[in-house]
Amino acid sequence: IAVSNYKDSLRNLQYAAKDVRDLASTFAQIYKTDLRVDTLIDKKATRENILALRNELMKTTVNDMVIIS
């Protein structure tokens, strides 16, 4: 989850969205199989989408590796 662009532009961050994209790309290179990456960036980082992602996380088991950033 990363937000770089806010309604109040004084709160904008330069690298938040880029960093999460880079992190997702790195994980895709390391864990080539059995990988699911969900990124909620800028306008997609809504309460509704975050809660939907939470519901998906609730389906994980002790054998799953979950990284939240």
Side-chain angles (χ1 to χ4, degrees):
I1 300 172
V3 178
S4 288
N5 301 307
Y6 290 87
K7 287 180 184 178
D8 178 357
S9 63
L10 293 175
R11 297 182 181 267
N12 285 354
L13 300 173
Q14 189 170 359
Y15 298 109
K18 179 200 176 299
D19 287 349
V20 83
R21 284 186 187 102
D22 290 348
L23 188 60
S25 175
T26 299
F27 286 139
Q29 291 172 11
I30 294 171
Y31 303 103
K32 296 179 193 293
T33 61
D34 298 326
L35 174 70
R36 176 180 168 185
V37 176
D38 288 309
T39 55
L40 300 178
I41 299 172
D42 288 330
K43 291 181 180 180
K44 290 185 179 182
T46 63
R47 182 179 194 278
E48 180 181 336
N49 287 341
I50 292 169
L51 291 176
L53 182 56
R54 179 183 177 266
N55 288 336
E56 290 299 311
L57 290 170
M58 297 298 288
K59 298 176 186 176
T60 60
T61 70
V62 295
N63 295 316
D64 295 322
M65 178 172 48
V66 176
I67 300 171
I68 301 173
S69 173

